[in-house]
Amino acid sequence: MRNVYVNLHKYEYTLNNKYACNGNVLAVILVNSAPDKPSERMQIRNTWGSVRFHSGATVVTLFAIAQTEDDKLQSHIESESKQYVDIIQGNFLDSYRNLTYKTVMGLDWVHKFCNHTKFVLKVDDDTLIDTYHLVDYLLQRSPDGDIEDFLYCSTFRNQGPIRRSDDKWFVPMTEYPYSKYPPYCEGFAYIMSYDVSKKLYEATETVKIYWIDDVYLTGLAAIQARITHTNMESGHSYKLLDTDNLSKIVQSSLFLLAKYDSMRPNWDRAWDDIKSLHKK
Ligand SMILES: *[C@@H]1O[C@H](CO)[C@@H](O)[C@H](O)[C@H]1NC(C)=O
Ligand SMILES: *[C@@H]1O[C@H](CO)[C@@H](O)[C@H](O)[C@H]1NC(C)=O
Ligand SMILES: *[C@@H]1O[C@H](CO)[C@@H](O)[C@H](O)[C@H]1NC(C)=O
């Protein structure tokens, strides 16, 4: 049976900032965010998300969220959306089991409201991007804006589902019978040229839903769409936001990760370092 969201694309946006992408856009960055993470969204808006123009190019950052059953939280999200014009909210319940719905929703939105962008990124909400570095890299990669067949990420190979039943990511044989996944992207961030996002989106019409979104989209749908991965050069994959040598890692990285909550306090400091680095 085809899934009404992931396969049939019957997404409705209960919040939709459909003009967020107007004008020339180099990249749209979709941040998968949970309804109950307003302070994480705020931290992104105040840091890397605040860079909308750099080197003559425009970047659009949007938060993809789904429904909450908490009315108070919902009205908070509505005022956030009004104030910052950067939220898209789908008509399904937000849960980690529904992550694939959300990631495909991001592509649905791009397809409907931002099909003139050159690049599409999907990132997690604990990813800090050096936006300046990113823009310069994308411009260098595609000086004429005509790049195609580009799926750039830290590629997992020879990974398989977790079969320990007490694990959060446990997958029974009935859900995925094979021992290996096809190559797929690590979810902290992946960069797609527009045509790749379109081909993956089209592939989702027929590829059976699988709830681990990175495996589904950049693995199973990528095979169907005949898209191959370009593995990130080592400096581009993520570094952890650990304290010891922050200013050192900031110089070479595109993506920094607050993988554990204990790393959150370093976020703002890392961003200050990034800003001063690019002011020189
Ligand atoms: C989303 O996830 C929840 C809990 O994991 C589930 O109950 C719900 O049916 C899912 N689907 C939709 C369309 O909301
Ligand atoms: C983008 O969408 C518009 C309206 O749906 C359509 O006319 C146009 O051809 C599309 N452009 C691309 C590059 O797909
Ligand atoms: C940062 O410090 C850790 C431990 O002190 C070390 O293992 C790591 O290699 C350092 N990273 C860089 C980029 O210098």
Short mmCIF file of all heavy atoms in Angstrom, two decimals, residues 29 39-53 61 63 125-132 241 256 264-275:
data_model
loop_
_atom_site.label_atom_id
_atom_site.label_comp_id
_atom_site.label_asym_id
_atom_site.label_seq_id
_atom_site.Cartn_x
_atom_site.Cartn_y
_atom_site.Cartn_z
N ILE A 29 18.03 25.57 2.88
CA ILE A 29 18.48 24.65 3.93
C ILE A 29 17.27 24.25 4.77
O ILE A 29 16.62 25.09 5.39
CB ILE A 29 19.54 25.31 4.84
CG1 ILE A 29 20.70 25.83 3.99
CG2 ILE A 29 20.03 24.31 5.89
CD1 ILE A 29 21.79 26.54 4.79
N SER A 39 13.84 26.64 21.45
CA SER A 39 15.10 27.32 21.79
C SER A 39 16.22 26.90 20.85
O SER A 39 17.10 27.70 20.53
CB SER A 39 15.46 27.10 23.26
OG SER A 39 15.57 25.74 23.52
N GLU A 40 16.18 25.65 20.36
CA GLU A 40 17.15 25.23 19.36
C GLU A 40 16.95 26.02 18.05
O GLU A 40 17.92 26.44 17.41
CB GLU A 40 17.04 23.74 19.08
CG GLU A 40 17.66 22.84 20.14
CD GLU A 40 16.81 22.68 21.40
OE1 GLU A 40 15.72 23.29 21.50
OE2 GLU A 40 17.25 21.93 22.30
N ARG A 41 15.67 26.24 17.69
CA ARG A 41 15.42 27.04 16.49
C ARG A 41 15.95 28.45 16.67
O ARG A 41 16.55 29.04 15.77
CB ARG A 41 13.92 27.07 16.18
CG ARG A 41 13.38 25.73 15.68
CD ARG A 41 11.98 25.84 15.11
NE ARG A 41 10.92 26.01 16.10
CZ ARG A 41 10.36 25.00 16.79
NH1 ARG A 41 10.77 23.77 16.61
NH2 ARG A 41 9.38 25.24 17.65
N MET A 42 15.73 28.99 17.86
CA MET A 42 16.18 30.36 18.14
C MET A 42 17.70 30.45 18.07
O MET A 42 18.24 31.42 17.54
CB MET A 42 15.68 30.75 19.54
CG MET A 42 15.22 32.16 19.68
SD MET A 42 14.15 32.71 18.35
CE MET A 42 15.04 34.15 17.85
N GLN A 43 18.35 29.44 18.57
CA GLN A 43 19.81 29.46 18.55
C GLN A 43 20.33 29.42 17.11
O GLN A 43 21.32 30.08 16.79
CB GLN A 43 20.36 28.27 19.35
CG GLN A 43 21.79 28.45 19.80
CD GLN A 43 22.22 27.41 20.82
OE1 GLN A 43 21.72 26.30 20.84
NE2 GLN A 43 23.17 27.79 21.66
N ILE A 44 19.66 28.70 16.26
CA ILE A 44 20.05 28.68 14.84
C ILE A 44 19.78 30.03 14.20
O ILE A 44 20.63 30.58 13.51
CB ILE A 44 19.31 27.54 14.10
CG1 ILE A 44 19.88 26.19 14.56
CG2 ILE A 44 19.45 27.70 12.58
CD1 ILE A 44 19.16 24.96 14.02
N ARG A 45 18.59 30.62 14.46
CA ARG A 45 18.29 31.94 13.89
C ARG A 45 19.31 32.98 14.31
O ARG A 45 19.65 33.87 13.54
CB ARG A 45 16.91 32.41 14.34
CG ARG A 45 15.77 31.64 13.76
CD ARG A 45 14.44 32.27 14.16
NE ARG A 45 13.34 31.44 13.75
CZ ARG A 45 12.58 30.73 14.59
NH1 ARG A 45 12.79 30.77 15.90
NH2 ARG A 45 11.60 29.98 14.12
N ASN A 46 19.77 32.88 15.55
CA ASN A 46 20.70 33.88 16.07
C ASN A 46 22.13 33.65 15.62
O ASN A 46 22.98 34.50 15.85
CB ASN A 46 20.66 33.88 17.60
CG ASN A 46 19.37 34.46 18.13
OD1 ASN A 46 18.73 35.26 17.46
ND2 ASN A 46 18.97 34.03 19.32
N THR A 47 22.40 32.50 15.03
CA THR A 47 23.80 32.21 14.66
C THR A 47 23.87 31.94 13.16
O THR A 47 23.65 32.86 12.38
CB THR A 47 24.35 31.03 15.49
OG1 THR A 47 23.50 29.88 15.33
CG2 THR A 47 24.43 31.40 16.97
N TRP A 48 24.08 30.70 12.75
CA TRP A 48 24.33 30.47 11.33
C TRP A 48 23.14 30.81 10.43
O TRP A 48 23.33 31.20 9.28
CB TRP A 48 24.84 29.05 11.08
CG TRP A 48 23.90 27.90 11.35
CD1 TRP A 48 23.87 27.10 12.45
CD2 TRP A 48 22.88 27.39 10.48
NE1 TRP A 48 22.89 26.14 12.32
CE2 TRP A 48 22.27 26.30 11.12
CE3 TRP A 48 22.42 27.77 9.20
CZ2 TRP A 48 21.23 25.57 10.55
CZ3 TRP A 48 21.38 27.04 8.63
CH2 TRP A 48 20.79 25.97 9.30
N GLY A 49 21.92 30.70 10.98
CA GLY A 49 20.73 31.00 10.19
C GLY A 49 20.55 32.49 9.91
O GLY A 49 19.72 32.87 9.08
N SER A 50 21.32 33.32 10.60
CA SER A 50 21.20 34.77 10.39
C SER A 50 21.91 35.23 9.11
O SER A 50 21.70 36.33 8.65
CB SER A 50 21.78 35.53 11.59
OG SER A 50 23.18 35.30 11.66
N VAL A 51 22.72 34.36 8.53
CA VAL A 51 23.43 34.72 7.30
C VAL A 51 22.57 34.38 6.10
O VAL A 51 22.41 33.22 5.74
CB VAL A 51 24.79 33.98 7.20
CG1 VAL A 51 25.51 34.37 5.92
CG2 VAL A 51 25.64 34.28 8.42
N ARG A 52 21.96 35.39 5.51
CA ARG A 52 21.09 35.17 4.35
C ARG A 52 21.75 35.55 3.05
O ARG A 52 21.36 35.10 1.98
CB ARG A 52 19.80 35.96 4.51
CG ARG A 52 18.94 35.37 5.58
CD ARG A 52 18.05 36.39 6.21
NE ARG A 52 17.53 35.86 7.46
CZ ARG A 52 16.27 35.98 7.82
NH1 ARG A 52 15.41 36.58 7.03
NH2 ARG A 52 15.88 35.48 8.97
N PHE A 53 22.74 36.45 3.14
CA PHE A 53 23.46 36.88 1.94
C PHE A 53 24.95 36.77 2.21
O PHE A 53 25.42 37.20 3.26
CB PHE A 53 23.12 38.33 1.61
CG PHE A 53 21.66 38.60 1.56
CD1 PHE A 53 21.02 39.22 2.64
CD2 PHE A 53 20.91 38.25 0.46
CE1 PHE A 53 19.66 39.45 2.62
CE2 PHE A 53 19.54 38.49 0.43
CZ PHE A 53 18.92 39.08 1.51
N THR A 61 16.83 29.54 5.00
CA THR A 61 16.78 28.49 6.02
C THR A 61 15.35 28.32 6.52
O THR A 61 14.70 29.30 6.89
CB THR A 61 17.71 28.84 7.20
OG1 THR A 61 19.05 28.96 6.71
CG2 THR A 61 17.68 27.77 8.27
N PHE A 63 12.58 25.70 8.86
CA PHE A 63 12.41 24.62 9.81
C PHE A 63 11.21 23.77 9.40
O PHE A 63 10.12 24.29 9.22
CB PHE A 63 12.19 25.18 11.22
CG PHE A 63 13.38 25.95 11.72
CD1 PHE A 63 13.41 27.34 11.62
CD2 PHE A 63 14.47 25.29 12.26
CE1 PHE A 63 14.51 28.05 12.06
CE2 PHE A 63 15.58 26.00 12.70
CZ PHE A 63 15.60 27.39 12.60
N ASP A 125 18.81 19.55 13.63
CA ASP A 125 18.80 20.80 14.39
C ASP A 125 19.96 20.90 15.39
O ASP A 125 20.11 21.91 16.06
CB ASP A 125 17.45 21.03 15.07
CG ASP A 125 17.27 20.16 16.31
OD1 ASP A 125 18.01 19.17 16.48
OD2 ASP A 125 16.37 20.47 17.11
N ASP A 126 20.79 19.86 15.45
CA ASP A 126 22.00 19.98 16.28
C ASP A 126 23.24 20.22 15.42
O ASP A 126 24.36 20.05 15.87
CB ASP A 126 22.18 18.75 17.17
CG ASP A 126 22.22 17.44 16.39
OD1 ASP A 126 22.06 17.46 15.16
OD2 ASP A 126 22.43 16.38 17.02
N THR A 127 23.01 20.62 14.17
CA THR A 127 24.12 20.92 13.26
C THR A 127 24.34 22.42 13.16
O THR A 127 23.39 23.16 12.87
CB THR A 127 23.82 20.36 11.85
OG1 THR A 127 23.57 18.96 11.95
CG2 THR A 127 24.96 20.60 10.89
N LEU A 128 25.54 22.85 13.42
CA LEU A 128 25.92 24.24 13.24
C LEU A 128 26.68 24.34 11.93
O LEU A 128 27.64 23.60 11.70
CB LEU A 128 26.80 24.70 14.41
CG LEU A 128 27.14 26.17 14.57
CD1 LEU A 128 27.61 26.44 15.99
CD2 LEU A 128 28.22 26.64 13.61
N ILE A 129 26.22 25.21 11.03
CA ILE A 129 26.84 25.34 9.72
C ILE A 129 27.70 26.59 9.68
O ILE A 129 27.27 27.66 10.13
CB ILE A 129 25.78 25.43 8.60
CG1 ILE A 129 24.78 24.28 8.70
CG2 ILE A 129 26.43 25.45 7.23
CD1 ILE A 129 23.69 24.32 7.63
N ASP A 130 28.89 26.48 9.14
CA ASP A 130 29.65 27.67 8.79
C ASP A 130 29.07 28.17 7.46
O ASP A 130 29.49 27.75 6.39
CB ASP A 130 31.14 27.35 8.66
CG ASP A 130 31.96 28.58 8.31
OD1 ASP A 130 31.37 29.58 7.85
OD2 ASP A 130 33.19 28.53 8.49
N THR A 131 28.06 29.03 7.57
CA THR A 131 27.30 29.45 6.39
C THR A 131 28.19 30.14 5.35
O THR A 131 27.98 29.99 4.15
CB THR A 131 26.16 30.40 6.79
OG1 THR A 131 25.81 30.16 8.16
CG2 THR A 131 24.94 30.19 5.94
N TYR A 132 29.16 30.92 5.83
CA TYR A 132 30.07 31.62 4.89
C TYR A 132 30.86 30.62 4.07
O TYR A 132 30.95 30.71 2.85
CB TYR A 132 31.05 32.50 5.67
CG TYR A 132 30.41 33.46 6.64
CD1 TYR A 132 30.38 33.19 8.00
CD2 TYR A 132 29.84 34.66 6.19
CE1 TYR A 132 29.81 34.07 8.91
CE2 TYR A 132 29.26 35.55 7.09
CZ TYR A 132 29.25 35.24 8.44
OH TYR A 132 28.69 36.11 9.33
N LEU A 241 31.42 19.63 18.61
CA LEU A 241 31.61 20.89 19.32
C LEU A 241 32.16 20.61 20.71
O LEU A 241 31.50 20.89 21.71
CB LEU A 241 30.26 21.61 19.45
CG LEU A 241 29.85 22.51 18.29
CD1 LEU A 241 28.44 23.00 18.48
CD2 LEU A 241 30.80 23.69 18.16
N LEU A 256 29.55 21.66 12.25
CA LEU A 256 29.93 21.31 13.62
C LEU A 256 28.69 20.75 14.30
O LEU A 256 27.58 21.21 14.06
CB LEU A 256 30.41 22.56 14.36
CG LEU A 256 31.62 23.25 13.73
CD1 LEU A 256 31.82 24.63 14.32
CD2 LEU A 256 32.86 22.41 13.92
N ARG A 264 26.07 21.88 23.65
CA ARG A 264 25.29 23.08 23.31
C ARG A 264 25.93 24.38 23.78
O ARG A 264 25.92 25.37 23.06
CB ARG A 264 23.88 22.98 23.90
CG ARG A 264 22.91 22.21 23.06
CD ARG A 264 22.30 23.05 21.95
NE ARG A 264 21.65 22.14 21.02
CZ ARG A 264 21.19 22.50 19.81
NH1 ARG A 264 21.32 23.75 19.41
NH2 ARG A 264 20.65 21.63 19.03
N PRO A 265 26.47 24.39 25.00
CA PRO A 265 27.05 25.66 25.47
C PRO A 265 28.19 26.18 24.58
O PRO A 265 28.50 27.36 24.63
CB PRO A 265 27.58 25.30 26.87
CG PRO A 265 26.76 24.14 27.31
CD PRO A 265 26.46 23.37 26.06
N ASN A 266 28.79 25.31 23.77
CA ASN A 266 29.89 25.78 22.91
C ASN A 266 29.41 26.38 21.60
O ASN A 266 30.20 26.91 20.83
CB ASN A 266 30.83 24.61 22.61
CG ASN A 266 31.47 24.07 23.86
OD1 ASN A 266 31.77 24.84 24.77
ND2 ASN A 266 31.65 22.77 23.91
N TRP A 267 28.14 26.25 21.35
CA TRP A 267 27.56 26.65 20.06
C TRP A 267 27.82 28.13 19.75
O TRP A 267 28.36 28.47 18.70
CB TRP A 267 26.07 26.36 20.12
CG TRP A 267 25.28 26.58 18.89
CD1 TRP A 267 24.89 27.80 18.37
CD2 TRP A 267 24.72 25.59 18.01
NE1 TRP A 267 24.13 27.61 17.24
CE2 TRP A 267 24.01 26.27 17.00
CE3 TRP A 267 24.75 24.19 18.00
CZ2 TRP A 267 23.33 25.61 15.97
CZ3 TRP A 267 24.06 23.53 16.98
CH2 TRP A 267 23.37 24.22 15.97
N ASP A 268 27.44 28.99 20.69
CA ASP A 268 27.55 30.43 20.44
C ASP A 268 29.01 30.86 20.32
O ASP A 268 29.34 31.73 19.52
CB ASP A 268 26.85 31.22 21.56
CG ASP A 268 25.34 31.02 21.51
OD1 ASP A 268 24.83 30.47 20.50
OD2 ASP A 268 24.66 31.42 22.49
N ARG A 269 29.85 30.24 21.10
CA ARG A 269 31.27 30.57 21.06
C ARG A 269 31.88 30.16 19.72
O ARG A 269 32.65 30.90 19.12
CB ARG A 269 32.00 29.87 22.21
CG ARG A 269 33.36 30.44 22.53
CD ARG A 269 33.74 30.16 23.97
NE ARG A 269 33.84 28.74 24.27
CZ ARG A 269 34.89 27.98 23.96
NH1 ARG A 269 35.92 28.49 23.33
NH2 ARG A 269 34.90 26.70 24.28
N ALA A 270 31.48 29.00 19.24
CA ALA A 270 31.97 28.55 17.94
C ALA A 270 31.51 29.51 16.85
O ALA A 270 32.27 29.85 15.94
CB ALA A 270 31.47 27.14 17.65
N TRP A 271 30.27 29.97 16.98
CA TRP A 271 29.76 30.89 15.96
C TRP A 271 30.52 32.22 15.99
O TRP A 271 30.84 32.79 14.95
CB TRP A 271 28.25 31.12 16.13
CG TRP A 271 27.75 32.07 15.09
CD1 TRP A 271 27.29 33.34 15.27
CD2 TRP A 271 27.71 31.84 13.67
NE1 TRP A 271 26.97 33.92 14.06
CE2 TRP A 271 27.22 33.01 13.07
CE3 TRP A 271 28.07 30.76 12.85
CZ2 TRP A 271 27.06 33.14 11.68
CZ3 TRP A 271 27.91 30.88 11.47
CH2 TRP A 271 27.41 32.06 10.91
N ASP A 272 30.84 32.70 17.17
CA ASP A 272 31.65 33.92 17.27
C ASP A 272 33.00 33.73 16.60
O ASP A 272 33.49 34.62 15.89
CB ASP A 272 31.85 34.31 18.74
CG ASP A 272 30.57 34.89 19.35
OD1 ASP A 272 29.68 35.29 18.56
OD2 ASP A 272 30.47 34.92 20.58
N ASP A 273 33.59 32.56 16.80
CA ASP A 273 34.87 32.26 16.15
C ASP A 273 34.72 32.25 14.63
O ASP A 273 35.57 32.75 13.90
CB ASP A 273 35.40 30.88 16.60
CG ASP A 273 36.00 30.93 18.00
OD1 ASP A 273 36.19 32.05 18.53
OD2 ASP A 273 36.27 29.85 18.56
N ILE A 274 33.63 31.66 14.16
CA ILE A 274 33.39 31.59 12.71
C ILE A 274 33.24 33.00 12.14
O ILE A 274 33.83 33.34 11.12
CB ILE A 274 32.13 30.74 12.42
CG1 ILE A 274 32.42 29.26 12.70
CG2 ILE A 274 31.67 30.94 10.97
CD1 ILE A 274 31.20 28.35 12.66
N LYS A 275 32.47 33.83 12.85
CA LYS A 275 32.26 35.19 12.36
C LYS A 275 33.58 35.95 12.27
O LYS A 275 33.85 36.63 11.28
CB LYS A 275 31.30 35.94 13.29
CG LYS A 275 29.86 35.79 12.88
CD LYS A 275 28.97 36.83 13.53
CE LYS A 275 29.12 36.79 15.04
NZ LYS A 275 28.06 37.48 15.77
#
